[in-house]
Amino acid sequence: MPSTTVVVGSSVGLHARPAALIAEAAAAATVPVTLALVGGAPVNAASGLMIMTLGATQGTEVIVTSDDQAAVDKIAGLIAADLDA
């Protein structure tokens, strides 16, 4: 299963706005996408609330996993971006 590790780029981490944007993109994917902190349990990336439970701040490494490499790449790109800019 394709996965990648990406560093959170948003200056305030994965709070409500970035989480909502990521969840919207994950929900649009044709396959499930999960996010996890290194060593942590995966959460559904299509749920903004679940994303916020990760407590990921700027600089935190997040693992993005899905059966679709394009979905992994899209979500990883959003996590790496400063969505608050």
Side-chain angles (χ1 to χ4, degrees):
M1 182 175 296
S3 70
T4 191
T5 301
V6 62
V7 175
V8 174
S10 285
S11 58
V12 292
L14 298 183
H15 69 92
R17 185 174 189 285
L21 294 171
I22 293 164
E24 182 180 331
T30 58
V31 294
V33 180
T34 63
L35 304 179
L37 300 183
V38 176
V43 300
N44 181 356
S47 168
L49 182 59
M50 294 306 296
I51 292 171
M52 289 188 294
T53 66
L54 293 172
T57 58
Q58 184 178 40
T60 300
E61 290 186 335
V62 176
I63 302 166
V64 184
T65 306
S66 177
D67 285 331
D68 180 5
Q69 184 65 53
V72 169
D73 294 342
K74 180 173 181 96
I75 301 304
L78 288 171
I79 292 170
D82 187 355
L83 298 175
D84 293 304

